[in-house]
Structure formats: structure tokens, C-alpha cells
Amino acid sequence: MSALRRVVATAAMAGAATGLQAGPVLADPPGPHKIEVTGPTYTYDPAYSSVKTRVRVVPVGHTTTVTLDASGFPNAALGKNFGAHVHQKACGPHPEDAGPHYQNPAARAGTPLRDKEIWLNFTVDKQGKAHSQTVRNWLIAPGQAGSVVIHVKPTNPSTGDAGARLSCTTVPFGT
């Protein structure tokens, strides 16, 4: 093979390799503003210091999907139910820093709590892991939510209460 052919072939292969690397990026059209955060930012109960969280938020059109994955729960938590919710503020060193539950400001009067808040209740499996996903047919108002909090008890469907706050993961919702 002549030197010129080798240069052309090498350049063509380099271009093909570059094209292969860029291909998936170009083939993936612009999508929704996805958020993925790992945590927790703060743990308030030392018995849960080994728990790790991942929160994913996917707004599409007028719908928001929030997913919580958690692992590393202590043996005492296996098989137990916990409440988790989107809260109004970012986490802080004190459990109350995250503020109250986020509520959809466009919800009509009389809308049940479970429909105007984002609840991510879960049961810890035998491997110390948990998964929860909630889909809402509305978007989170920009700057109005800031965290996902895991509580010690399951959510009371009448009051929304789930007891003490175990951990908090700051999430930049609606930014």
C-alpha cells in the first residue's frame, strides 16, 4: 500500500472512530431536563448512617416522575415500611431545615394530600434495599421544592405525617 493510501486509510479510520464515539451523542435527541442526585446529604439517625440514596427526577411535558432508590438499611429495618416525600427546602444540619412537604400550588381545594404531594413510600427488602417511584400529572414549580426526606414511619394517608426524619437528600427540583 502506498504511503498516500495509508494516510487516507488511517484518516478515514480515525474519522470513522470519531464518528462512532460521537454517534450515540448525536443519536440521542435533546430530552427532558433529567436530574439525578446521590446522597443522603444529611443523616439524622445514626442507626441509618449506612443508607445511601439516589433520587431521579424526570419532567416530561406536564408530568413529573420521581424515583427513589435506597440501599444499606440496617437489619432492624428489613421488611419495614417507611414514608418518604418531596420537601420544600434543601436539606440542612437539622431535620426541620427541609421544611414541610411540597404541595402542588395548582391543586384544587379539597384535593387529597396524596394527590397534591409527592410520596415515595417503600418497604425495605431482605437485601436492605428499597425502591419507589411516583408519577404526577403536573410539574414541580421552579424553586419550590428542594429535597427528598426519608421518615421513620409509613405515611399516614389522612394527615401525610410519617414521623421523625431519618435522612435527607438535597435535589435541585425545577431549576
Side-chain angles (χ1 to χ4, degrees):
M1 182 182 274
S2 74
L4 179 58
R5 280 191 178 164
R6 279 193 298 268
V7 170
V8 170
T10 302
M13 289 190 312
T18 302
L20 287 175
Q21 290 176 337
V25 173
L26 297 174
D28 188 14
H33 179 69
K34 300 175 191 174
I35 299 166
E36 185 164 321
V37 178
T38 57
T41 309
Y42 288 95
T43 299
Y44 306 115
D45 184 330
Y48 292 85
S49 62
S50 63
V51 174
K52 302 297 179 209
T53 59
R54 183 176 63 184
V55 178
R56 287 182 307 280
V57 183
V58 182
V60 178
H62 295 288
T63 301
T64 303
T65 302
V66 181
T67 305
L68 170 65
D69 288 299
S71 61
F73 281 92
N75 287 338
L78 304 183
K80 290 189 176 180
N81 299 315
F82 293 84
H85 316 101
V86 172
H87 281 250
Q88 291 179 4
K89 299 178 183 178
C91 307
H94 305 288
E96 64 275 9
D97 290 344
H101 297 173
Y102 173 79
Q103 293 186 355
N104 178 9
R108 294 186 201 144
T111 299
L113 282 175
R114 70 180 173 276
D115 295 331
K116 63 182 176 182
E117 294 185 355
I118 300 175
W119 295 357
L120 296 155
N121 301 317
F122 59 84
T123 302
V124 178
D125 69 17
K126 292 177 182 176
Q127 288 77 41
K129 296 179 181 180
H131 172 83
S132 182
Q133 184 175 74
T134 299
V135 179
R136 290 288 175 247
N137 291 322
W138 37 266
L139 296 174
I140 295 172
Q144 298 300 306
S147 59
V148 170
V149 174
I150 296 176
H151 295 266
V152 71
K153 298 189 297 188
T155 305
N156 179 314
S158 299
T159 66
D161 181 56
R165 298 173 185 198
L166 298 175
S167 69
C168 184
T169 302
T170 295
V171 181
F173 289 98
T175 57

